[in-house]
Amino acid sequence: MHLRPFALITLLWCLVATTGAVELHREDHHTCSTCNAALARSMEYLRKNFDKQVATDGWYAGMLNSFWGGFAFLIDGNSPKEAKVCADRMRFYLETWAKKGMGYDGWFASMSMFYLSEYCLRYGTTPELKAALEFGAKFAHKTRESEGGWFHNPRWGGPNYAIDISGVGCGYFAAVRNMERLGLETGPALSDVNDYISKVCDGRSVAYGLNGRGGFALASGSYVLIGLTSSGAGDDPKVAGIGGHLLENVERIRNAHANGNLHHFGVAAALHRSSPEAYARFAGFYLHKYFIPNMASDGSLAPFPNDNTKPPEEAYAELKKGGDYAATAILASMIMMTRQGAFSPYPPRKAGLPPNKDCFAKAQTLLGSGKLAQAHEQLSNILPGGGDDQLIPVAQKQRKALEDLLNQRVLALRERLAQADPVDRTAAEPLAIAIHTSGVQAAALEKLAAGLPVASDAKIVAGEARKRLTRLRGKFGPSLAKDTAEAPTADGTPFAHDSELAAGMVRVLALGKDGNL
């Protein structure tokens, strides 16, 4: 996702102001022989050690490896099996570890939810993942401290060295905002996280906790930017503000407090989301100079440093010790993010799809003719890598509006089906028309992406609608509501017998006008 023009101008100004003589790395890793070779080595290490370091490690290191390893496999786009295993591990750390209070509950819950929500944006929401995330939202609300934030473990108001840790709260923010986009139930957690960010973020940076507003918690700020861009709020002023702050401090990541892996990954991912030029600045300073040359012989790295007392050459030389799965996954992610759109809040684009421009035009035609399932598929194909990136946010908004509209109509149909069977034709005909018209849409819902909150529900509703309509026709005659399905009105509007659906489709089609090229 790229920034809107004003935000991009802001970041470019920061780029000019901070670039100096630093080389920009604009090459995709596929065309950079150094990056390509390093990526092959690091991915080989990750796959070779996956079972031991991720799949069967149930302690603290296993959580970190599942988190950062999971993001590497998500960004790779060709590792759905490994990404799913990491999702399963994150479910364990959320639903079992945090729930039982086994230590670092705030960190484990927020990081697990962050990864799971990003995973669902790409691969869809299963009932198990839905349940896990919705439990997490309740857990976040339950464990929020009286001051308004979250700590390593819930303090329950007790004393400690800080009242909260912004890394936990900002992780919850990214996850819960993603849940909102996915259509999952957030409960009061959505209000909680939005309120927290308003207190800890000054629009450009994030404080260590609620002891201040704005500061040098680089990973926390990165989480806010990622959460906003993933949830479709890329035009929020905080995105440009935080992106600019990260760019100004890109050479000072080691100054951030505590875990070096946390800050190095966060800054890289956030700048990648900001713009190609911003990430070229990051990659140009770090990849060929400090990271890739310090890979161990097996392709791994030691943990990223957070020691700002040494010059960077000396500090990053420690990476040569190798052996850290999480740091190696972070390096692999950094290299892959030299490809524009690699860490996108969208699923990987399938090979052989037409250009985005063609998919968008076809989607508008299908929407206009009432072929909603096919239109939804075309909108889902408009992704990074298909050209005309300005169409991506337009298509996403249009697809979400279509999903919301169909969900509403299925809910309305469910209410109709809950009524008792009518006893005469006068009562039967309106119900039969509603079943027939909306029932067609329920059937279409079955063909939509699996991530729809009511996807499994829609099958039940559609089946019941067909059964009910069959009984009504058998009782009152085959002509009942015979020609109501998707029949256009005199002016060509589809869904003539469902005025709310027809009106909703007018709004969905209007959104597509923003994508006219």
Side-chain angles (χ1 to χ4, degrees), residues 109-111 113-114 117-118 140 150 166-181 186 189-198 200-201 206 220-231 233 236 238-239 242:
S110 67
M111 293 175 76
M113 290 177 66
F114 184 23
S117 64
E118 289 283 335
W150 292 267
S166 65
V168 178
C170 293
Y172 278 137
F173 173 81
V176 175
R177 290 292 293 258
N178 284 347
M179 288 177 63
E180 181 186 25
R181 177 185 164 186
T186 65
L190 180 61
S191 176
D192 291 345
V193 297
N194 286 335
D195 176 66
Y196 179 74
I197 296 306
S198 74
V200 79
C201 177
V206 174
S220 300
S222 299
Y223 282 175
V224 175
L225 187 151
I226 293 168
L228 289 170
T229 53
S230 285
S231 61
D236 189 299
K238 288 189 288 292
V239 173
I242 293 171

Side-chain angles (χ1 to χ4, degrees), residues 329-502:
I330 292 170
L331 175 61
S333 299
M334 290 172 173
I335 295 173
M336 288 186 284
M337 284 191 289
T338 59
R339 176 174 60 84
Q340 292 185 29
F343 181 40
S344 161
Y346 310 115
R349 198 171 197 271
K350 298 178 182 178
L353 287 175
N356 283 340
K357 184 177 180 180
D358 294 347
C359 293
F360 187 83
K362 188 172 183 179
Q364 305 314 302
T365 301
L366 291 167
L367 287 170
S369 61
K371 298 178 179 178
L372 305 188
Q374 295 176 51
H376 184 277
E377 181 180 3
Q378 290 299 318
L379 291 171
S380 301
N381 289 338
I382 300 169
L383 297 165
D388 295 302
D389 282 359
Q390 73 274 19
L391 292 175
I392 297 173
V394 178
Q396 291 295 317
K397 288 182 180 179
Q398 199 174 31
R399 189 182 76 165
K400 180 65 165 58
L402 175 61
E403 292 171 356
D404 290 345
L405 175 62
L406 289 176
N407 290 347
Q408 293 166 8
R409 302 317 298 144
V410 170
L411 289 172
L413 175 61
R414 186 186 295 111
E415 292 177 1
R416 292 278 191 135
L417 292 176
Q419 299 175 10
D421 280 328
V423 295
D424 57 36
R425 185 182 178 90
T426 302
E429 189 162 4
L431 178 59
I433 291 175
I435 290 173
H436 193 78
T437 305
S438 298
V440 171
Q441 301 319 308
L445 267 178
E446 297 178 32
K447 302 177 183 178
L448 296 183
L452 274 177
V454 298
S456 57
D457 222 12
K459 295 182 181 180
I460 299 173
V461 174
E464 178 62 23
R466 295 190 193 98
K467 291 178 183 177
R468 187 73 66 90
L469 182 61
T470 298
R471 290 200 300 271
L472 290 169
R473 281 182 172 170
K475 189 173 183 179
F476 297 112
S479 63
L480 183 63
K482 181 179 180 181
D483 300 317
T484 59
E486 302 192 21
T489 59
D491 61 359
T493 305
F495 313 113
H497 297 280
D498 190 334
S499 59
E500 291 188 37
L501 182 61

Side-chain angles (χ1 to χ4, degrees), residues 27-49:
E27 288 182 278
D28 185 305
H29 64 84
H30 292 101
T31 60
C32 173
S33 59
T34 301
C35 287
N36 202 35
L39 178 61
R41 292 170 60 203
S42 61
M43 291 300 289
E44 181 182 5
Y45 178 88
L46 295 179
R47 297 188 191 284
K48 181 179 179 180
N49 293 278

